[in-house]
Amino acid sequence: MHVDDLTTPALLVDAAALEANLADMAALLPGPRLRPHVKAHKTTELARRQAAHGHTGFTCATVREVEGMAAAGLGADLLLANEVLDARRLGAVVGSGARVTVAIDSEQTLRAAVDGGVREVLVDVNVGLPRCGIAPARAGALADAARAAGLVVRGVMGYEGHLQMLDDAAERARLTTECTDRLLAAHADVGGEVVSGGGTGTHAMNTACTEIQAGSYALMDTAYTAAGLPFRQALTVLSTVVSTTAPDGDMPGWAVADAGLKAFGMDHGNPTVPGGNVWFCSDEHLVFAADAPPRTGDRVRIVPAHVDPTVALHERMHLVDGDEVLETWAVDLRGW
Ligand code: PLP
Ligand code: MN
Protein backbone atom coordinates (compact mmCIF):
# COMPACT_ATOMS: atom_id res chain seq x y z
CA MET A 1 0.00 0.00 0.00
CA HIS A 2 1.09 3.59 -0.69
CA VAL A 3 0.73 6.27 2.01
CA ASP A 4 -1.45 8.27 -0.40
CA ASP A 5 -4.09 5.57 0.01
CA LEU A 6 -4.41 6.23 3.76
CA THR A 7 -7.28 8.27 5.13
CA THR A 8 -5.90 11.27 7.00
CA PRO A 9 -5.09 12.06 9.71
CA ALA A 10 -3.07 8.86 10.09
CA LEU A 11 -0.26 7.90 12.46
CA LEU A 12 2.92 6.93 10.62
CA VAL A 13 5.89 5.17 12.15
CA ASP A 14 9.15 5.31 10.24
CA ALA A 15 10.34 1.69 10.34
CA ALA A 16 14.05 2.46 10.18
CA ALA A 17 13.88 5.14 12.89
CA LEU A 18 11.89 2.84 15.19
CA GLU A 19 14.32 -0.01 14.64
CA ALA A 20 17.32 2.27 15.32
CA ASN A 21 15.74 3.55 18.55
CA LEU A 22 15.00 0.03 19.78
CA ALA A 23 18.50 -1.17 18.88
CA ASP A 24 20.28 1.82 20.43
CA MET A 25 18.36 1.50 23.69
CA ALA A 26 18.85 -2.28 23.84
CA ALA A 27 22.59 -1.77 23.40
CA LEU A 28 22.70 0.65 26.33
CA LEU A 29 20.16 -1.11 28.57
CA PRO A 30 20.06 -4.76 27.48
CA GLY A 31 17.41 -7.29 28.43
CA PRO A 32 15.95 -6.76 31.91
CA ARG A 33 17.85 -3.46 32.42
CA LEU A 34 14.98 -1.92 30.43
CA ARG A 35 11.34 -2.48 31.29
CA PRO A 36 9.74 -0.62 28.35
CA HIS A 37 6.70 1.45 29.24
CA VAL A 38 3.87 0.51 26.86
CA LYS A 39 1.77 3.60 27.62
CA ALA A 40 3.94 5.50 25.11
CA HIS A 41 2.70 3.39 22.18
CA LYS A 42 -0.24 1.31 23.44
CA THR A 43 0.44 -1.23 20.72
CA THR A 44 1.17 -4.92 21.33
CA GLU A 45 2.82 -5.33 17.92
CA LEU A 46 5.34 -2.65 18.86
CA ALA A 47 5.86 -4.29 22.26
CA ARG A 48 6.59 -7.51 20.37
CA ARG A 49 9.44 -5.69 18.58
CA GLN A 50 10.78 -4.54 21.94
CA ALA A 51 10.61 -8.14 23.18
CA ALA A 52 12.55 -9.21 20.08
CA HIS A 53 15.26 -6.79 21.24
CA GLY A 54 15.48 -8.72 24.51
CA HIS A 55 13.12 -6.89 26.86
CA THR A 56 10.55 -9.33 28.17
CA GLY A 57 9.33 -7.39 31.20
CA PHE A 58 7.07 -4.40 30.51
CA THR A 59 5.69 -1.42 32.38
CA CYS A 60 2.00 -0.52 32.11
CA ALA A 61 0.00 2.49 33.27
CA THR A 62 -3.52 1.03 33.17
CA VAL A 63 -5.29 -2.22 33.97
CA ARG A 64 -6.38 -2.34 30.33
CA GLU A 65 -2.72 -2.29 29.21
CA VAL A 66 -1.93 -5.19 31.55
CA GLU A 67 -4.88 -7.17 30.20
CA GLY A 68 -3.99 -6.50 26.58
CA MET A 69 -0.32 -7.37 27.00
CA ALA A 70 -1.18 -10.65 28.72
CA ALA A 71 -3.76 -11.52 26.06
CA ALA A 72 -1.11 -10.91 23.38
CA GLY A 73 1.23 -13.42 25.03
CA LEU A 74 3.52 -10.71 26.40
CA GLY A 75 2.69 -11.31 30.05
CA ALA A 76 5.95 -12.84 31.32
CA ASP A 77 6.53 -9.97 33.76
CA LEU A 78 4.11 -7.02 33.73
CA LEU A 79 4.47 -4.13 36.17
CA LEU A 80 1.48 -1.86 36.68
CA ALA A 81 3.47 1.20 37.75
CA ASN A 82 0.35 2.85 39.05
CA GLU A 83 -2.05 2.68 41.98
CA VAL A 84 -5.37 0.81 41.74
CA LEU A 85 -8.18 0.55 44.26
CA ASP A 86 -9.86 -2.36 42.51
CA ALA A 87 -7.40 -5.05 41.44
CA ARG A 88 -9.90 -7.79 40.56
CA ARG A 89 -9.23 -7.55 36.83
CA LEU A 90 -5.50 -7.77 37.58
CA GLY A 91 -6.18 -10.86 39.68
CA ALA A 92 -7.95 -12.39 36.70
CA VAL A 93 -4.86 -11.75 34.57
CA VAL A 94 -2.73 -13.50 37.21
CA GLY A 95 -5.23 -16.35 37.09
CA SER A 96 -4.70 -16.63 33.32
CA GLY A 97 -1.02 -17.42 33.90
CA ALA A 98 0.63 -14.02 33.43
CA ARG A 99 2.94 -12.47 36.01
CA VAL A 100 1.61 -9.18 37.35
CA THR A 101 3.21 -6.87 39.88
CA VAL A 102 1.33 -3.79 41.06
CA ALA A 103 2.55 -0.61 42.73
CA ILE A 104 1.24 0.19 46.19
CA ASP A 105 1.67 3.39 48.19
CA SER A 106 -0.99 3.07 50.91
CA GLU A 107 -2.89 0.66 53.13
CA GLN A 108 -5.81 0.94 50.66
CA THR A 109 -3.82 -0.07 47.59
CA LEU A 110 -2.18 -2.87 49.60
CA ARG A 111 -5.64 -4.12 50.55
CA ALA A 112 -6.83 -3.86 46.93
CA ALA A 113 -3.94 -6.07 45.78
CA VAL A 114 -4.76 -8.71 48.41
CA ASP A 115 -8.51 -8.61 47.75
CA GLY A 116 -8.03 -8.64 43.97
CA GLY A 117 -5.76 -11.67 43.97
CA VAL A 118 -2.50 -9.98 42.94
CA ARG A 119 0.37 -11.60 44.79
CA GLU A 120 3.36 -9.41 43.93
CA VAL A 121 3.87 -5.71 44.62
CA LEU A 122 6.45 -2.93 44.48
CA VAL A 123 6.36 -0.17 47.05
CA ASP A 124 5.96 3.07 45.09
CA VAL A 125 8.14 5.76 46.67
CA ASN A 126 7.77 9.53 46.30
CA VAL A 127 11.18 10.59 45.00
CA GLY A 128 10.19 14.23 44.33
CA LEU A 129 7.41 14.24 41.73
CA PRO A 130 4.26 15.29 43.59
CA ARG A 131 2.13 12.41 42.33
CA CYS A 132 1.85 8.84 43.64
CA GLY A 133 4.36 7.28 46.02
CA ILE A 134 4.78 6.95 49.78
CA ALA A 135 7.33 9.02 51.71
CA PRO A 136 10.68 7.18 51.74
CA ALA A 137 10.72 6.98 55.55
CA ARG A 138 7.36 5.17 55.57
CA ALA A 139 8.14 2.68 52.78
CA GLY A 140 9.59 0.01 55.07
CA ALA A 141 6.50 -0.11 57.26
CA LEU A 142 4.26 -0.50 54.21
CA ALA A 143 6.45 -3.35 52.97
CA ASP A 144 6.20 -5.04 56.38
CA ALA A 145 2.42 -4.71 56.28
CA ALA A 146 2.32 -6.11 52.74
CA ARG A 147 4.38 -9.15 53.72
CA ALA A 148 2.23 -9.65 56.81
CA ALA A 149 -0.79 -9.68 54.47
CA GLY A 150 0.80 -12.46 52.40
CA LEU A 151 2.12 -10.40 49.50
CA VAL A 152 5.53 -10.81 47.89
CA VAL A 153 7.32 -7.44 47.95
CA ARG A 154 9.66 -7.45 44.96
CA GLY A 155 11.26 -4.11 45.80
CA VAL A 156 10.62 -0.43 45.15
CA MET A 157 9.80 1.92 42.32
CA GLY A 158 10.06 5.70 42.11
CA TYR A 159 9.53 7.91 39.09
CA GLU A 160 11.43 11.19 38.69
CA GLY A 161 8.93 12.47 36.11
CA HIS A 162 9.49 16.15 36.95
CA LEU A 163 13.08 15.87 35.71
CA GLN A 164 12.59 14.10 32.37
CA MET A 165 12.54 17.22 30.19
CA LEU A 166 15.01 19.47 32.01
CA ASP A 167 17.05 21.11 29.26
CA ASP A 168 20.25 21.23 31.27
CA ALA A 169 21.46 17.61 31.13
CA ALA A 170 24.03 18.10 33.91
CA GLU A 171 21.35 19.47 36.21
CA ARG A 172 19.02 16.65 35.18
CA ALA A 173 21.71 14.14 36.14
CA ARG A 174 22.43 15.85 39.48
CA LEU A 175 18.76 15.97 40.48
CA THR A 176 18.20 12.39 39.28
CA THR A 177 20.88 11.25 41.72
CA GLU A 178 19.05 13.06 44.52
CA CYS A 179 15.90 11.17 43.58
CA THR A 180 17.57 7.80 43.36
CA ASP A 181 19.23 8.43 46.73
CA ARG A 182 15.71 8.73 48.19
CA LEU A 183 14.70 5.54 46.39
CA LEU A 184 17.74 3.64 47.61
CA ALA A 185 17.12 4.80 51.18
CA ALA A 186 13.61 3.38 50.94
CA HIS A 187 14.92 0.22 49.33
CA ALA A 188 17.24 -0.37 52.28
CA ASP A 189 14.12 -0.66 54.48
CA VAL A 190 11.88 -2.45 51.96
CA GLY A 191 14.26 -5.09 50.55
CA GLY A 192 13.62 -7.15 47.43
CA GLU A 193 15.64 -7.35 44.24
CA VAL A 194 13.88 -4.68 42.14
CA VAL A 195 14.67 -0.95 42.06
CA SER A 196 12.56 0.40 39.20
CA GLY A 197 12.38 3.95 37.88
CA GLY A 198 13.57 6.36 35.24
CA GLY A 199 12.26 7.36 31.85
CA THR A 200 13.49 8.38 28.43
CA GLY A 201 14.90 11.66 29.75
CA THR A 202 16.94 10.02 32.51
CA HIS A 203 17.58 6.59 31.00
CA ALA A 204 21.34 7.14 30.72
CA MET A 205 21.86 8.98 34.02
CA ASN A 206 19.66 6.93 36.35
CA THR A 207 22.27 4.30 37.11
CA ALA A 208 21.00 3.38 40.58
CA CYS A 209 17.89 1.57 39.37
CA THR A 210 18.07 -2.09 38.44
CA GLU A 211 15.61 -1.40 35.61
CA ILE A 212 14.52 1.69 33.65
CA GLN A 213 10.88 2.30 32.68
CA ALA A 214 11.44 4.33 29.48
CA GLY A 215 8.69 4.39 26.86
CA SER A 216 8.89 7.48 24.64
CA TYR A 217 12.31 6.52 23.27
CA ALA A 218 10.74 4.13 20.74
CA LEU A 219 8.67 6.70 18.82
CA MET A 220 9.90 10.02 20.25
CA ASP A 221 8.41 13.52 20.05
CA THR A 222 9.65 17.10 19.63
CA ALA A 223 9.72 17.81 23.38
CA TYR A 224 12.18 15.00 24.05
CA THR A 225 14.19 15.93 20.94
CA ALA A 226 14.40 19.51 22.25
CA ALA A 227 15.71 18.14 25.56
CA GLY A 228 18.60 16.60 23.64
CA LEU A 229 17.64 12.91 23.73
CA PRO A 230 19.61 10.88 21.17
CA PHE A 231 16.68 8.96 19.65
CA ARG A 232 15.17 9.49 16.21
CA GLN A 233 11.77 10.98 15.47
CA ALA A 234 9.86 7.88 14.28
CA LEU A 235 6.31 9.16 14.75
CA THR A 236 4.47 11.61 12.50
CA VAL A 237 0.85 12.34 11.73
CA LEU A 238 0.12 12.25 8.02
CA SER A 239 -2.39 14.93 7.09
CA THR A 240 -3.88 16.53 3.99
CA VAL A 241 -3.80 20.23 3.16
CA VAL A 242 -7.50 21.00 2.74
CA SER A 243 -7.31 24.77 2.18
CA THR A 244 -4.73 27.41 1.28
CA THR A 245 -4.86 31.18 1.33
CA ALA A 246 -2.38 33.23 -0.72
CA PRO A 247 -0.52 36.24 0.79
CA ASP A 248 -2.48 39.48 0.53
CA GLY A 249 -0.69 42.78 1.19
CA ASP A 250 0.74 42.62 4.71
CA MET A 251 -1.05 39.37 5.44
CA PRO A 252 1.13 36.32 4.80
CA GLY A 253 -0.34 33.24 3.22
CA TRP A 254 -1.25 30.13 5.16
CA ALA A 255 -2.34 26.55 4.74
CA VAL A 256 -4.73 24.35 6.67
CA ALA A 257 -4.06 20.67 7.37
CA ASP A 258 -6.80 18.26 8.44
CA ALA A 259 -5.22 17.25 11.77
CA GLY A 260 -5.97 19.32 14.86
CA LEU A 261 -6.50 19.00 18.59
CA LYS A 262 -8.21 15.66 18.06
CA ALA A 263 -5.15 14.20 16.34
CA PHE A 264 -2.38 15.54 18.63
CA GLY A 265 -1.68 15.54 22.35
CA MET A 266 -1.08 19.26 22.87
CA ASP A 267 0.11 19.59 26.47
CA HIS A 268 3.74 19.95 25.35
CA GLY A 269 2.83 22.57 22.76
CA ASN A 270 2.01 22.73 19.09
CA PRO A 271 3.09 19.99 16.72
CA THR A 272 5.77 20.84 14.19
CA VAL A 273 5.43 21.08 10.42
CA PRO A 274 8.89 20.59 8.89
CA GLY A 275 9.76 23.76 6.97
CA GLY A 276 6.69 25.49 8.36
CA ASN A 277 5.52 27.65 11.21
CA VAL A 278 2.44 26.39 13.07
CA TRP A 279 0.03 29.19 14.02
CA PHE A 280 -2.60 27.23 15.92
CA CYS A 281 -4.68 24.07 16.06
CA SER A 282 -8.44 23.84 16.35
CA ASP A 283 -10.47 20.67 16.66
CA GLU A 284 -9.84 19.28 13.17
CA HIS A 285 -7.51 21.93 11.70
CA LEU A 286 -3.86 22.86 11.93
CA VAL A 287 -3.03 26.28 10.46
CA PHE A 288 0.53 26.91 9.34
CA ALA A 289 2.66 29.13 7.13
CA ALA A 290 5.53 27.68 5.13
CA ASP A 291 8.50 28.98 3.18
CA ALA A 292 7.43 26.88 0.23
CA PRO A 293 3.63 27.23 0.39
CA PRO A 294 1.87 23.90 0.01
CA ARG A 295 -0.97 23.37 -2.43
CA THR A 296 -4.43 22.15 -1.59
CA GLY A 297 -4.32 18.37 -1.69
CA ASP A 298 -0.68 18.11 -0.63
CA ARG A 299 0.13 15.77 2.21
CA VAL A 300 2.35 16.74 5.11
CA ARG A 301 3.95 14.71 7.88
CA ILE A 302 3.52 16.60 11.13
CA VAL A 303 5.62 15.84 14.20
CA PRO A 304 3.84 15.57 17.58
CA ALA A 305 5.14 17.41 20.66
CA HIS A 306 4.03 14.65 23.05
CA VAL A 307 3.98 11.03 21.94
CA ASP A 308 1.77 9.28 24.54
CA PRO A 309 -1.42 11.36 24.35
CA THR A 310 -1.04 11.62 20.56
CA VAL A 311 -0.95 7.86 20.05
CA ALA A 312 -3.90 7.38 22.40
CA LEU A 313 -6.09 9.42 20.02
CA HIS A 314 -5.54 7.04 17.08
CA GLU A 315 -6.95 3.58 16.40
CA ARG A 316 -4.00 2.34 14.36
CA MET A 317 -0.45 3.19 13.34
CA HIS A 318 1.14 2.48 9.99
CA LEU A 319 4.72 1.26 9.78
CA VAL A 320 6.24 2.92 6.71
CA ASP A 321 9.39 2.86 4.63
CA GLY A 322 9.27 6.16 2.80
CA ASP A 323 5.93 6.17 0.97
CA GLU A 324 5.34 2.45 1.33
CA VAL A 325 3.09 1.11 4.09
CA LEU A 326 4.76 -2.05 5.37
CA GLU A 327 2.32 -3.00 8.14
CA THR A 328 -0.66 -1.57 9.97
CA TRP A 329 -0.85 -2.14 13.72
CA ALA A 330 -3.90 -1.68 15.93
CA VAL A 331 -3.31 0.66 18.86
CA ASP A 332 -4.95 -2.10 20.84
CA LEU A 333 -4.11 -1.04 24.41
CA ARG A 334 -6.22 2.14 24.25
CA GLY A 335 -9.14 2.77 26.56
CA TRP A 336 -9.53 1.76 30.15
N1 PLP B 1 7.48 5.50 34.59
C1 PLP B 1 6.32 6.08 34.91
C2 PLP B 1 5.63 5.65 36.16
C3 PLP B 1 5.77 7.07 34.07
O1 PLP B 1 4.61 7.65 34.40
C4 PLP B 1 6.47 7.44 32.90
C5 PLP B 1 5.96 8.49 32.00
O2 PLP B 1 5.22 9.37 32.33
C6 PLP B 1 7.69 6.81 32.64
C7 PLP B 1 8.16 5.84 33.50
C8 PLP B 1 8.63 7.18 31.52
O3 PLP B 1 8.12 7.41 30.31
P1 PLP B 1 8.93 8.17 29.18
O4 PLP B 1 10.01 7.29 28.72
O5 PLP B 1 7.88 8.35 28.17
O6 PLP B 1 9.45 9.43 29.73
MN1 MN C 1 4.70 11.38 28.12
Side-chain angles (χ1 to χ4, degrees):
M1 207 213 275
H2 193 278
V3 286
D4 285 349
D5 297 324
L6 296 172
T7 300
T8 57
L11 270 190
L12 303 185
V13 176
D14 182 286
L18 170 65
E19 205 40 50
N21 291 343
L22 299 188
D24 289 353
M25 184 63 107
L28 191 70
L29 298 174
R33 289 278 293 120
L34 185 75
R35 183 185 283 280
H37 208 317
V38 303
K39 79 183 170 72
H41 54 70
K42 285 186 174 283
T43 301
T44 53
E45 282 303 323
L46 205 161
R48 225 178 276 294
R49 298 274 176 126
Q50 292 172 310
H53 279 273
H55 317 297
T56 49
F58 288 92
T59 310
C60 299
T62 66
V63 172
R64 165 86 198 105
E65 289 171 2
V66 173
E67 289 174 335
M69 289 291 287
L74 294 163
D77 187 0
L78 300 172
L79 167 63
L80 181 55
N82 206 349
E83 275 60 20
V84 293
L85 273 302
D86 181 349
R88 287 174 294 177
R89 281 165 55 191
L90 294 179
V93 176
V94 173
S96 77
R99 183 176 191 186
V100 177
T101 303
V102 67
I104 60 168
D105 71 352
S106 64
E107 178 63 35
Q108 291 90 330
T109 46
L110 184 169
R111 189 49 48 200
V114 173
D115 293 347
V118 179
R119 291 189 281 271
E120 298 182 281
V121 297
L122 290 185
V123 175
D124 190 359
V125 178
N126 177 358
V127 294
L129 168 70
R131 205 172 69 177
C132 299
I134 193 168
R138 293 172 48 218
L142 187 63
D144 292 344
R147 291 193 176 99
L151 295 168
V152 174
V153 180
R154 292 182 68 189
V156 293
M157 69 156 273
Y159 177 53
E160 67 279 20
H162 55 306
L163 305 181
Q164 297 298 325
M165 306 243 165
L166 270 189
D167 282 343
D168 182 339
E171 185 68 354
R172 204 186 321 144
R174 189 183 69 78
L175 294 171
T176 295
T177 303
E178 283 186 9
C179 290
T180 51
D181 284 349
R182 293 179 196 122
L183 189 57
L184 293 177
H187 183 237
D189 294 338
V190 168
E193 75 284 8
V194 176
V195 180
S196 192
T200 297
T202 59
H203 76 279
M205 46 191 63
N206 183 335
T207 49
C209 283
T210 60
E211 56 177 47
I212 297 294
Q213 303 176 354
S216 300
Y217 79 97
L219 296 175
M220 283 295 283
D221 55 35
T222 59
Y224 262 135
T225 298
L229 273 298
F231 302 103
R232 291 169 60 179
Q233 187 63 55
L235 188 75
T236 55
V237 174
L238 180 71
S239 83
T240 305
V241 174
V242 292
S243 178
T244 55
T245 296
D248 183 11
D250 289 345
M251 190 67 184
W254 68 88
V256 183
D258 66 349
L261 297 172
K262 294 178 179 174
F264 294 101
M266 297 284 293
D267 63 314
H268 290 168
N270 280 331
T272 299
V273 177
N277 177 24
V278 175
W279 289 3
F280 64 92
C281 288
S282 45
D283 280 359
E284 302 287 2
H285 303 95
L286 179 149
V287 181
F288 68 103
D291 300 337
R295 284 181 306 220
T296 300
D298 282 356
R299 290 193 155 198
V300 285
R301 296 185 190 196
I302 305 174
V303 194
H306 193 179
V307 55
D308 324 56
T310 299
V311 169
L313 294 168
H314 295 259
E315 291 177 345
R316 54 192 73 85
M317 58 177 69
H318 307 279
L319 191 71
V320 298
D321 176 7
D323 288 339
E324 188 191 350
V325 180
L326 305 173
E327 285 180 50
T328 294
W329 296 337
V331 184
D332 53 347
L333 301 174
R334 300 167 74 218
W336 291 270

